[in-house]
């Protein structure tokens, strides 16, 4: 996994244990200690568990008839995120069962369409569930998830124009695809690894197209799109740090792009 277009190469992934992104294996203990010691963390935790309980009764996410599936993609992200967290923190199988159902439901679609934001976000949803629940998912579910991430996500989006966009599209789509590339790398076929590596090859070269717009912390698309794009930027940086550490020069170059961190102050003002 090397960035071929600049000098900040990402080294080959050697740690293939799951979960390996955002909340690594064993880090539940740290979260639990925060919950036990902080009323604020406990309140957040209880909210997530209550929301996950509500998702146990959610209807199947059905592929819409049109060309967009943004509502469905974001529903899948929310449900898989909350249910996966709830399972990892409580080990109650009801959360695992429902999360696996959501993964299979969306992977049974004939496509995730080709509109980049919707497709990439669905790729992220499945990649998250795949990594966070890897050790307890059925083998058939994991294989299906890898195949759909490859075919519906990577191959569908590899030549789309968002790589060169300066808008939130760049962050949302690159963040989603890179996260899923890091999630499945090393688990599947040679083609899967090759396409995952191809996604990661572009990250440090192409992600600055949007990061360089945070001039003096003032985000040009306004607060709503700051929240959307920056959320995926943080997910991307956290996922990269999960694998490569906090001191990789190329990742640091993204994190400390002038104006990016300062943009939090911009949000406070607006």
């Amino acid at each position: 996994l090397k960035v071929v277009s600049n000098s900040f190469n990402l080294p080959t992934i050697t740690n293939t244990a799951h979960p390996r992104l955002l909340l690594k294996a064993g880090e539940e203990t740290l979260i639990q200690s925060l919950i036990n010691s902080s009323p604020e963390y406990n309140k957040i935790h209880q909210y997530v568990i209550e929301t996950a309980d509500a998702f146990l009764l959610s209807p199947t996410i059905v592929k819409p008839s049109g060309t967009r599936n943004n509502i469905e993609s974001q529903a899948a992200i929310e449900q898989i995120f909350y249910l996966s967290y709830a399972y990892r923190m409580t080990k109650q199988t009801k959360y695992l069962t429902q999360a696996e159902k959501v993964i299979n439901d969306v992977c049974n679609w004939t496509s995730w369409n080709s509109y980049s934001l919707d497709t990439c976000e669905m790729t992220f949803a499945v990649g998250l569930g795949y990594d966070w629940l890897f050790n307890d998912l059925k083998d058939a579910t994991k294989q299906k998830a890898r195949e759909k991430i490859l075919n519906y996500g990577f191959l569908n989006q590899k030549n789309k124009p968002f790589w060169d966009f300066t808008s939130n599209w760049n962050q949302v789509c690159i963040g989603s695809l890179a996260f899923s590339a890091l999630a499945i790398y090393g688990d599947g076929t040679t083609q899967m690894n090759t396409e995952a590596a191809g996604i990661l090859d572009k990250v440090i070269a192409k992600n600055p197209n949007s990061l360089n717009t945070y001039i003096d912390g003032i985000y040009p698309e306004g607060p709503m799109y700051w929240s959307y794009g920056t959320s995926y930027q943080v997910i991307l940086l956290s996922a990269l740090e999960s694998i490569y550490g906090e001191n990789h020069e190329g990742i640091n170059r993204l994190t400390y792009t002038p104006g990016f961190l300062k943009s939090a102050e911009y949000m406070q003002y607006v």
Side-chain angles (χ1 to χ4, degrees):
L1 305 184
K2 293 187 176 181
V3 179
V4 297
S5 55
N6 60 62
S7 60
F8 299 103
N9 292 337
L10 294 176
T12 300
I13 293 177
T14 56
N15 177 18
T16 58
H18 293 280
R20 59 192 181 207
L21 301 174
L22 306 187
L23 180 61
K24 294 183 179 182
E27 291 183 344
E28 297 90 345
T29 302
L30 172 61
I31 300 296
Q32 190 61 56
S33 68
L34 293 171
I35 293 168
N36 294 340
S37 62
S38 165
E40 291 79 13
Y41 275 101
N42 182 61
K43 185 175 182 179
I44 294 168
H45 171 76
Q46 292 302 325
Y47 172 79
V48 174
I49 297 299
E50 290 169 5
T51 305
D53 285 336
F55 286 149
L56 295 174
L57 303 175
S58 294
T60 299
I61 300 177
V62 178
K63 188 181 190 310
S65 57
T67 58
R68 296 293 309 272
N69 53 260
N70 59 315
I71 293 174
E72 291 76 13
S73 294
Q74 291 177 7
I77 292 170
E78 189 174 28
Q79 291 184 33
I80 292 171
F81 229 138
Y82 280 60
L83 290 163
S84 299
Y85 171 89
Y87 174 66
R88 290 185 62 183
M89 293 302 299
T90 70
K91 290 302 179 183
Q92 294 186 38
T93 56
K94 61 183 180 180
Y95 300 122
L96 169 66
T97 300
Q98 183 65 13
E100 186 162 14
K101 178 184 181 299
V102 176
I103 293 170
N104 278 300
D105 285 343
V106 299
C107 285
N108 286 334
W109 290 12
T110 54
S111 75
W112 292 334
N113 292 332
S114 59
Y115 193 88
S116 291
L117 290 176
D118 307 354
T119 303
C120 291
E121 285 199 281
M122 190 66 87
T123 306
F124 168 65
V126 175
L128 174 73
Y130 176 88
D131 180 57
W132 275 26
L133 302 174
F134 182 88
N135 295 315
D136 296 299
L137 292 173
K138 296 180 179 67
D139 288 342
T141 301
K142 289 186 282 192
Q143 180 176 343
K144 183 187 296 184
R146 289 192 298 267
E147 290 174 351
K148 302 310 180 180
I149 287 171
L150 170 66
N151 293 312
Y152 293 176
F154 297 167
L155 296 178
N156 185 281
Q157 295 295 312
K158 65 187 297 182
N159 295 316
K160 294 290 186 176
F162 65 78
W163 294 98
D164 294 314
F165 283 5
T166 59
S167 68
N168 67 88
W169 282 53
N170 179 278
Q171 298 167 297
V172 173
C173 296
I174 290 177
S176 295
L177 294 180
F179 185 98
S180 295
L182 293 168
I184 71 168
Y185 185 84
D187 296 337
T189 64
T190 298
Q191 184 188 21
M192 289 176 187
N193 290 337
T194 299
E195 294 298 333
I199 295 293
L200 295 170
D201 279 345
K202 297 182 180 180
V203 171
I204 295 177
K206 295 294 188 179
N207 189 216
N209 288 325
S210 56
L211 277 174
N212 289 336
T213 67
Y214 285 76
I215 300 172
D216 291 328
I218 301 171
Y219 186 72
E221 293 186 280
M224 184 186 75
Y225 283 115
W226 177 92
S227 180
Y228 188 35
T230 304
S231 292
Y232 274 94
Q233 187 66 50
V234 171
I235 287 170
L236 169 62
L237 293 171
S238 180
L240 291 171
E241 289 179 0
S242 295
I243 300 297
Y244 302 112
E246 298 180 4
N247 297 318
H248 185 275
E249 189 174 3
I251 299 170
N252 276 339
R253 189 179 70 168
L254 300 179
T255 302
Y256 296 103
T257 298
F260 173 60
L261 296 178
K262 192 177 179 181
S263 69
E265 297 178 22
Y266 158 78
M267 282 298 291
Q268 288 181 311
Y269 287 118
V270 299

